[in-house]
Amino acid sequence: MTNYTELIKSFTKEDYKTGKVNLHIHSTYSDGKAEFTSIVTQAREKTLKAFAISDHNTVQGHKANPDSNAIPAVEFDVWYKYIFLHLLAYGIDVNNEELKPFLAKNKKETEADIVRIFARRNIKQLIKAIHSSGGIAVLAHPACCWALNLETFVKDLIDIGLDGIEVYYPYPRWRKYIKFSNPEQIEPIADKYNLIKTGGTDCHELFI
């Protein structure tokens, strides 16, 4: 059985920068344009070292494709106090009972921004469920979070169980212009608090 935590810890900055590891990809199971199976095929053709398909609030793609070799992952919409954030869960047991209440009940909850932003998940209970399912909780694209002080925000999340932070992220699309924090802050914060570092493209396209 794969120890995903140790696997993810083993990835280097170079792995992410060269695209040999991509832990943030979306499929048509949420708001991506590529079929889950197409992403898997392309990852094999590109000989990626590792990849994760992290659809919004759903693990249906992983349940339907249990032999995909993709790292089981999901990206949750959740609030912490006044801050809306995305929390990535990696290495989870997609059939875990404690995780089920936090998963989408319909397709709109996986793709419609106006629906997802009103998510009412309790982040402390969510992180507990992620850990119960064998996974790690990682803050996605932290420079996009509406935090007045990024380090204080991250420290608060660590206090309730955060394991990692997405350091190697391109801030594409509108995120090029709407950033609440300097992306250069992120890696020093990760190092200071000994957080697991992850990265990915947040690809919503056809992944070619």
Side-chain angles (χ1 to χ4, degrees), residues 22-84:
N22 189 339
L23 302 187
H24 199 154
I25 306 169
H26 294 275
S27 79
T28 52
Y29 279 97
S30 61
D31 58 349
K33 294 181 180 178
E35 298 284 345
F36 192 103
T37 52
S38 174
I39 295 170
V40 172
T41 298
Q42 291 181 66
R44 289 172 179 161
E45 290 173 348
K46 292 170 181 283
T47 63
L48 293 193
K49 187 173 180 178
F51 67 106
I53 300 176
S54 50
D55 282 311
H56 291 286
N57 308 313
T58 184
V59 292
Q60 288 305 313
H62 293 286
K63 286 187 173 184
N65 301 276
D67 300 317
S68 67
N69 290 325
I71 293 174
V74 56
E75 185 176 18
F76 288 105
D77 299 288
V78 64
W79 288 82
Y80 176 73
K81 297 181 179 178
Y82 69 93
I83 303 168
F84 180 69

Side-chain angles (χ1 to χ4, degrees), residues 17 43 62 82 85 90 99 109 120 128 152 163 172 186:
K17 294 294 186 182
H62 293 286
Y82 69 93
L85 64 123
Y90 292 115
L99 208 58
E109 292 180 8
R120 286 293 177 264
K128 181 177 180 292
T152 298
D163 303 294
I186 299 167

Side-chain angles (χ1 to χ4, degrees), residues 10 12 21 43 46 66 110 124 163 170 175-176 183 192 197:
S10 75
T12 66
V21 173
K46 292 170 181 283
T110 72
K124 190 172 183 178
D163 303 294
R175 294 190 179 101
K176 290 180 183 177
K192 181 176 180 178
K197 301 176 190 177

Side-chain angles (χ1 to χ4, degrees), residues 144-188:
C144 293
C145 296
W146 313 336
L148 296 177
N149 184 303
L150 182 61
E151 183 172 349
T152 298
F153 169 56
V154 171
K155 179 64 169 60
D156 286 348
L157 293 180
I158 292 169
D159 289 343
I160 60 172
L162 186 74
D163 303 294
I165 190 167
E166 192 171 48
V167 173
Y168 312 113
Y169 181 84
Y171 293 93
R173 299 175 290 155
W174 56 268
R175 294 190 179 101
K176 290 180 183 177
Y177 312 104
I178 303 175
K179 293 192 289 285
F180 293 85
S181 304
N182 185 342
E184 299 301 317
Q185 296 176 261
I186 299 167
E187 191 160 17

Side-chain angles (χ1 to χ4, degrees), residues 108-125:
K108 285 185 179 179
E109 292 180 8
T110 72
E111 58 185 4
D113 288 346
I114 193 63
V115 174
R116 288 169 37 217
I117 203 167
F118 288 107
R120 286 293 177 264
R121 297 173 179 89
N122 180 295
I123 190 168
K124 190 172 183 178
Q125 292 175 4

Side-chain angles (χ1 to χ4, degrees), residues 3-12 15-16 23 136 163 194-198:
N3 185 325
Y4 289 108
T5 300
E6 291 306 313
L7 176 64
I8 292 170
K9 284 181 178 179
S10 75
F11 300 145
T12 66
D15 288 329
Y16 293 113
L23 302 187
I136 58 172
D163 303 294
N194 197 30
L195 291 167
I196 298 169
K197 301 176 190 177
T198 72

